[in-house]
Coordinates of all heavy atoms in Angstrom, one line a residue:
E93 N 8.0 -1.0 16.5 CA 7.8 -2.3 15.9 C 6.3 -2.6 15.5 O 6.0 -3.0 14.5 CB 8.4 -3.5 16.7 CG 8.3 -4.8 16.0 CD 9.0 -5.9 16.9 OE1 10.2 -5.6 17.2 OE2 8.4 -6.9 17.1
A94 N 5.5 -2.4 16.6 CA 4.0 -2.6 16.4 C 3.4 -1.7 15.3 O 2.6 -2.1 14.5 CB 3.3 -2.4 17.7
E95 N 3.8 -0.4 15.3 CA 3.3 0.6 14.4 C 3.8 0.2 12.9 O 3.1 0.4 11.9 CB 3.8 1.9 14.7 CG 3.1 2.5 16.0 CD 3.9 3.6 16.6 OE1 5.0 4.0 16.1 OE2 3.4 4.2 17.5
C96 N 5.0 -0.3 12.9 CA 5.6 -0.7 11.6 C 4.8 -1.9 11.0 O 4.5 -2.0 9.8 CB 7.1 -1.1 11.7 SG 8.0 -1.0 10.2
V97 N 4.5 -2.9 11.9 CA 3.6 -4.0 11.5 C 2.3 -3.5 10.9 O 1.8 -4.0 9.9 CB 3.4 -5.0 12.6 CG1 2.4 -6.0 12.3 CG2 4.7 -5.7 13.0
S98 N 1.7 -2.6 11.6 CA 0.4 -2.0 11.2 C 0.6 -1.3 9.9 O -0.3 -1.5 9.0 CB -0.1 -1.0 12.2 OG -1.3 -0.5 11.8
A99 N 1.6 -0.6 9.7 CA 1.8 0.2 8.4 C 2.0 -0.8 7.3 O 1.4 -0.6 6.1 CB 3.0 1.1 8.5
L100 N 2.8 -1.9 7.4 CA 3.1 -2.8 6.4 C 1.8 -3.6 6.1 O 1.6 -4.1 5.0 CB 4.2 -3.8 6.8 CG 5.0 -4.4 5.7 CD1 5.6 -3.3 4.8 CD2 6.1 -5.3 6.2
S101 N 1.0 -3.9 7.1 CA -0.3 -4.6 6.9 C -1.2 -3.8 6.0 O -1.9 -4.4 5.1 CB -1.0 -4.9 8.2 OG -0.2 -5.7 9.1
K102 N -1.2 -2.5 6.2 CA -2.1 -1.6 5.4 C -1.6 -1.6 3.9 O -2.4 -1.7 3.0 CB -2.0 -0.2 5.9 CG -2.7 0.0 7.3 CD -2.5 1.4 7.8 CE -3.2 1.6 9.1 NZ -3.0 3.0 9.6
R103 N -0.3 -1.6 3.8 CA 0.3 -1.7 2.4 C -0.1 -3.0 1.7 O -0.4 -3.0 0.6 CB 1.8 -1.5 2.5 CG 2.3 -0.2 2.9 CD 2.2 0.8 1.8 NE 2.9 2.0 2.2 CZ 3.5 2.9 1.3 NH1 3.4 2.6 0.0 NH2 4.1 3.9 1.7
A104 N 0.1 -4.1 2.5 CA -0.2 -5.4 1.9 C -1.7 -5.5 1.5 O -2.0 -6.0 0.4 CB 0.2 -6.5 2.8
K105 N -2.6 -5.0 2.4 CA -4.0 -5.0 2.1 C -4.3 -4.2 0.9 O -5.2 -4.7 0.1 CB -4.7 -4.5 3.3 CG -6.3 -4.6 3.2 CD -6.9 -4.1 4.4 CE -8.5 -4.1 4.3 NZ -9.2 -3.6 5.5
N106 N -3.7 -3.1 0.8 CA -3.9 -2.2 -0.4 C -3.5 -2.9 -1.7 O -4.2 -2.7 -2.8 CB -3.1 -0.9 -0.2 CG -3.3 0.0 -1.5 OD1 -4.3 0.5 -1.7 ND2 -2.1 0.2 -2.1
R107 N -2.6 -3.8 -1.7 CA -2.1 -4.5 -2.9 C -2.8 -5.8 -3.0 O -2.5 -6.6 -4.0 CB -0.6 -4.8 -2.7 CG 0.3 -3.6 -2.7 CD 1.8 -4.1 -2.7 NE 2.7 -3.0 -2.6 CZ 3.9 -3.0 -3.1 NH1 4.3 -4.1 -3.7 NH2 4.7 -1.9 -3.0
Y108 N -3.8 -6.2 -2.1 CA -4.4 -7.4 -2.2 C -3.5 -8.6 -2.0 O -3.6 -9.6 -2.6 CB -5.3 -7.6 -3.4 CG -6.3 -6.5 -3.6 CD1 -6.2 -5.4 -4.4 CD2 -7.6 -6.6 -2.8 CE1 -7.1 -4.4 -4.5 CE2 -8.5 -5.6 -2.9 CZ -8.3 -4.5 -3.8 OH -9.2 -3.5 -3.9
L109 N -2.4 -8.3 -1.2 CA -1.3 -9.3 -1.0 C -1.6 -10.1 0.2 O -1.8 -9.6 1.3 CB 0.0 -8.5 -0.8 CG 1.3 -9.3 -0.8 CD1 1.4 -10.2 -2.1 CD2 2.5 -8.5 -0.6
N110 N -1.7 -11.4 0.0 CA -2.0 -12.3 1.1 C -0.8 -12.5 2.0 O -0.1 -13.5 2.0 CB -2.5 -13.7 0.6 CG -3.0 -14.6 1.7 OD1 -3.3 -14.2 2.8 ND2 -3.1 -15.9 1.3
L111 N -0.6 -11.6 3.0 CA 0.5 -11.6 3.8 C 0.0 -11.4 5.2 O -0.6 -10.4 5.6 CB 1.4 -10.5 3.5 CG 2.9 -10.5 4.1 CD1 3.6 -11.7 3.7 CD2 3.6 -9.2 3.7
N112 N 0.0 -12.5 6.0 CA -0.6 -12.4 7.4 C 0.3 -11.6 8.4 O 1.4 -11.4 8.1 CB -1.0 -13.8 7.9 CG 0.2 -14.7 8.1 OD1 1.2 -14.3 8.8 ND2 0.2 -15.9 7.6
K113 N -0.3 -11.3 9.5 CA 0.4 -10.4 10.5 C 1.6 -11.2 11.1 O 2.6 -10.5 11.4 CB -0.5 -9.9 11.5 CG -1.5 -8.8 11.0 CD -2.0 -8.0 12.2 CE -2.8 -6.8 11.7 NZ -3.3 -6.0 12.8
D114 N 1.5 -12.5 11.2 CA 2.7 -13.2 11.8 C 3.9 -13.1 10.8 O 5.0 -12.9 11.3 CB 2.4 -14.7 12.0 CG 1.4 -14.9 13.1 OD1 1.3 -14.0 14.0 OD2 0.7 -16.0 13.2
T115 N 3.7 -13.2 9.5 CA 4.7 -13.0 8.5 C 5.2 -11.6 8.5 O 6.5 -11.4 8.5 CB 4.2 -13.5 7.2 OG1 3.7 -14.8 7.2 CG2 5.4 -13.4 6.2
I116 N 4.4 -10.6 8.6 CA 4.8 -9.2 8.6 C 5.6 -8.9 9.8 O 6.6 -8.3 9.8 CB 3.5 -8.3 8.6 CG1 2.8 -8.5 7.2 CG2 3.9 -6.9 8.8 CD1 1.5 -7.8 7.1
A117 N 5.1 -9.5 11.0 CA 5.9 -9.2 12.3 C 7.3 -9.8 12.1 O 8.3 -9.3 12.6 CB 5.1 -9.8 13.4
F118 N 7.4 -11.0 11.5 CA 8.7 -11.7 11.3 C 9.6 -10.8 10.5 O 10.8 -10.6 10.8 CB 8.5 -13.0 10.6 CG 9.7 -13.6 10.2 CD1 10.5 -14.4 11.0 CD2 10.2 -13.5 8.8 CE1 11.7 -15.0 10.6 CE2 11.4 -14.1 8.4 CZ 12.1 -14.9 9.3
L119 N 9.0 -10.2 9.4 CA 9.9 -9.3 8.5 C 10.4 -8.1 9.3 O 11.6 -7.8 9.2 CB 9.0 -8.9 7.4 CG 8.6 -9.9 6.3 CD1 7.7 -9.3 5.3 CD2 9.9 -10.3 5.5
V120 N 9.5 -7.5 10.0 CA 9.9 -6.3 10.8 C 10.9 -6.7 11.9 O 11.9 -5.9 12.1 CB 8.6 -5.6 11.4 CG1 9.1 -4.5 12.4 CG2 7.7 -5.1 10.3
R121 N 10.7 -7.8 12.5 CA 11.6 -8.1 13.6 C 13.0 -8.6 13.2 O 14.0 -8.3 13.9 CB 10.9 -9.3 14.5 CG 11.6 -9.6 15.7 CD 10.6 -10.4 16.6 NE 10.1 -11.6 16.0 CZ 8.8 -11.7 15.6 NH1 8.0 -10.8 15.8 NH2 8.4 -12.8 15.0
H122 N 13.0 -9.3 12.0 CA 14.3 -9.8 11.6 C 15.1 -9.0 10.6 O 16.2 -9.2 10.3 CB 14.1 -11.2 11.0 CG 13.8 -12.3 12.1 ND1 12.6 -12.4 12.6 CD2 14.6 -13.2 12.7 CE1 12.6 -13.4 13.5 NE2 13.8 -13.9 13.5
L123 N 14.4 -7.9 10.1 CA 15.0 -7.1 9.1 C 15.3 -5.7 9.7 O 16.2 -5.4 10.3 CB 14.3 -7.1 7.8 CG 14.2 -8.5 7.1 CD1 13.2 -8.5 6.0 CD2 15.6 -9.0 6.7
N124 N 14.3 -4.8 9.4 CA 14.5 -3.5 10.0 C 13.1 -2.8 10.0 O 12.2 -3.3 9.4 CB 15.5 -2.6 9.2 CG 15.1 -2.5 7.7 OD1 14.1 -2.0 7.4 ND2 16.0 -3.0 6.8
R125 N 13.1 -1.6 10.5 CA 11.9 -0.8 10.6 C 11.9 0.4 9.6 O 11.1 1.3 9.8 CB 11.5 -0.3 12.0 CG 11.4 -1.5 13.0 CD 10.6 -1.1 14.2 NE 11.2 0.1 15.0 CZ 12.0 -0.1 15.9 NH1 12.4 -1.4 16.3 NH2 12.6 0.9 16.6

């Protein structure tokens, strides 16, 4: 889960997408990895 949050954070940053880690953690926790 933690690694998935990190991976998605890198993707969002690469896209200049304003997606904070709390929201990313929510996506990973409530959907899938």
Side-chain angles (χ1 to χ4, degrees):
E93 185 172 312
E95 293 163 350
C96 203
V97 169
S98 177
L100 207 58
S101 296
K102 291 177 182 178
R103 293 278 192 156
K105 182 179 180 181
N106 177 64
R107 296 182 182 209
Y108 301 100
L109 189 59
N110 185 19
L111 193 62
N112 63 50
K113 285 199 172 183
D114 288 340
T115 304
I116 293 174
F118 171 83
L119 288 172
V120 173
R121 190 165 52 250
H122 286 80
L123 296 171
N124 59 61
R125 298 202 300 270

